[in-house]
């Protein structure tokens, strides 16, 4: 009987052949399957190692060795960022160490993945409470009561928050900003925070439930317990070519007919902010997908959309999606000019030296 390890080894060997320039003789559909098998095997191994980190972290946590526990939980989340438990565990250690900002952020990441995760909800609430973000903490405790109306922790903390709020003097600067918004009709897209960084919003234009102190609890509690879990598109293959950044200039050969230099190539085989990774491992030009690539056939990126992965929530990439993705990169004009220069440098190198493309 053939073991799983032998199967994985055979898949890796087959993929190595498929990735080589001469491997282009293998039908593309078969190469897609081989690459998918390798990505799956790598991901399974990463998940296995992540669980090992989690278990070690639990052992350190039980011994109250929180620094070591945090290192283990961070290792787990770095290996597998689709598991809410790892971020939730990080938040627990952050609270123990008094790292309240980090606790809030990690609990938020866990809630994005699992909005109904009670532990993550409670830990974000406690972090916010410690930071003085009483409105945000209150919103989270109210969300907890939606899942468990008998939650003693939520009820006790809500009562304590109510006492703290009643004893606080009004924040004159905050209220003056709110009155200014009303007086001058500023739109609801303007975001304001109080002295503790607590989010302020006195509108309910989207049907939000406004709390008794005038704050939109649905915004503060986001994602609410009734929200859909975040759909994560993970296009990170963690293969050697995915990580091969070289000199930062995209390799024309790799993205077209294949690069025979492999990891010895001085050019980049990795995806960047101007490309999309497809199921063949090639980097497809975002400008081409958006219908605006000025380089046409000479572009250092692939112009084949056939094997672009379908996203879980949004579906296939469209021209509009690609244009929106590019617009994020264009917010920094210096960065955009540098990217354009990178195109030119890669194109000039390819034309004059033949480097960055497979040999004839």
């Amino acid at each position: 009987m053939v073991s799983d390890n032998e199967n994985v080894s055979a898949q890796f060997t087959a993929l190595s052949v498929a990735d080589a320039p001469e491997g282009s003789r293998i039908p593309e559909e078969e190469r897609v399957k081989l690459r998918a098998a390798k990505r799956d095997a790598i991901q399974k191994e990463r998940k296995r190692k992540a669980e090992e980190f989690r278990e070690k972290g639990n052992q350190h946590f039980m011994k109250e060795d929180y620094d070591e526990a945090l290192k283990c939980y961070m290792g787990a989340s770095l290996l597998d960022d689709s598991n809410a438990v790892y971020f939730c565990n990080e938040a627990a250690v952050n609270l123990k160490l008094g790292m309240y900002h980090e606790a809030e952020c990690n609990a938020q990441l866990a809630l994005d993945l699992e909005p109904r995760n009670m532990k993550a909800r409670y830990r974000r609430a406690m972090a916010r409470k410690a930071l003085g973000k009483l409105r945000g903490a209150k919103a989270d405790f109210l969300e907890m009561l939606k899942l468990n109306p008998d939650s003693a922790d939520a009820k006790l903390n809500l009562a304590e928050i109510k006492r703290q709020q009643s004893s606080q003097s009004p924040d004159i600067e905050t209220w003056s900003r709110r009155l200014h918004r009303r007086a001058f009709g500023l739109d609801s897209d303007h975001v304001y925070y109080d002295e503790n960084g607590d989010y302020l919003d006195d509108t309910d234009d989207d049907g939000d439930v406004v709390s008794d102190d005038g704050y939109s609890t649905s915004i503060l509690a986001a994602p609410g317990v009734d929200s859909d879990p975040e759909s994560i598109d993970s296009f990170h293959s963690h293969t050697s070519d995915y990580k091969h950044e070289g000199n930062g200039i995209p390799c024309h050969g790799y993205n077209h007919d294949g690069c025979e230099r492999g990891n010895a190539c001085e050019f980049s085989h990795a995806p960047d902010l101007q490309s999309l990774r497809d199921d063949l491992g090639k980097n497809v030009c975002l400008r081409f997908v958006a219908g605006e690539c000025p380089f046409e056939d000479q572009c250092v990126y692939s112009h084949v959309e056939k094997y672009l992965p379908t996203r879980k929530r949004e579906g296939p990439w469209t021209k509009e999606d690609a244009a929106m993705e590019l617009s994020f990169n264009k917010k920094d004009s210096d960065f955009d000019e540098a990217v354009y220069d990178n195109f030119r440098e890669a194109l000039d190198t390819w034309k004059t030296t033949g480097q960055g493309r497979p040999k004839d």
Side-chain angles (χ1 to χ4, degrees), residues 76-333:
S77 63
L78 285 171
L79 284 167
D80 182 8
D81 60 3
S82 66
N83 194 326
V85 172
Y86 303 149
F87 294 113
C88 192
N89 287 355
E90 280 188 63
V93 181
N94 293 148
L95 288 172
K96 291 290 187 181
L97 295 173
M99 303 167 64
Y100 300 120
H101 287 290
E102 291 84 354
E104 183 183 18
C105 289
N106 280 312
Q108 175 72 53
L109 290 169
L111 287 171
D112 286 339
L113 294 167
E114 295 181 6
R116 299 175 71 85
N117 188 313
M118 282 283 280
K119 288 183 179 180
R121 182 75 57 181
Y122 175 75
R123 288 164 188 169
R124 189 175 74 169
M126 294 303 292
R128 287 175 162 182
K129 183 181 172 185
L131 291 167
K133 299 182 179 182
L134 300 184
R135 301 176 188 88
K138 177 180 178 180
D140 274 333
F141 286 127
L142 288 173
E143 287 294 299
M144 287 178 62
L145 291 177
K146 290 181 182 179
L147 289 177
N148 181 10
D150 298 323
S151 172
D153 286 331
K155 290 179 179 179
L156 286 171
N157 278 286
L158 282 170
E160 185 179 343
I161 288 172
K162 186 174 182 180
R163 287 194 297 271
Q164 290 182 36
Q165 288 179 324
S166 64
S167 64
Q168 288 179 345
S169 58
D171 178 357
I172 296 176
E173 183 181 353
T174 295
W175 284 106
S176 66
R177 284 201 303 262
R178 288 162 62 84
L179 290 172
H180 178 79
R181 288 179 64 195
R182 290 196 184 101
F184 291 94
L186 296 179
D187 63 61
S188 59
D189 289 336
H190 285 73
V191 177
Y192 293 110
Y193 301 86
D194 69 6
E195 72 283 2
N196 295 314
D198 215 352
Y199 182 78
L200 304 178
D201 192 318
D202 59 356
T203 68
D204 60 346
D205 296 338
D206 298 323
D208 296 336
V209 178
V210 178
S211 62
D212 54 10
D213 56 358
Y215 295 93
S216 178
T217 55
S218 65
I219 293 176
L220 292 169
V225 296
D226 297 321
S227 302
D228 292 329
E230 185 176 274
S231 295
I232 293 182
D233 292 300
S234 181
F235 303 131
H236 298 272
S237 64
H238 303 291
T239 54
S240 58
D241 55 347
Y242 187 94
K243 299 175 183 178
H244 180 68
E245 297 181 351
N247 60 11
I249 300 174
C251 177
H252 183 282
Y254 178 81
N255 292 319
H256 290 268
D257 300 320
C259 177
E260 64 183 23
R261 298 180 179 88
N263 288 336
C265 179
E266 65 178 293
F267 297 93
S268 174
H269 296 179
D272 55 31
L273 295 178
Q274 298 299 302
S275 63
L276 300 169
R277 192 75 162 188
D278 72 5
D279 288 336
L280 280 174
K282 296 181 179 181
N283 304 305
V284 180
C285 179
L286 256 175
R287 282 182 167 85
F288 172 74
V289 179
E292 54 184 72
C293 179
F295 301 98
E296 299 179 349
D297 295 340
Q298 295 179 323
C299 182
V300 291
Y301 298 118
S302 169
H303 278 197
V304 179
E305 299 181 60
K306 180 178 179 181
Y307 296 108
L308 282 176
T310 299
R311 296 164 297 171
K312 294 177 182 177
R313 182 168 290 182
E314 296 88 352
W317 282 90
T318 65
K319 287 186 177 181
E320 293 73 20
D321 293 333
M324 180 65 71
E325 193 81 4
L326 283 168
S327 70
F328 294 142
N329 300 337
K330 290 180 180 178
K331 288 182 179 179
D332 186 335
S333 59

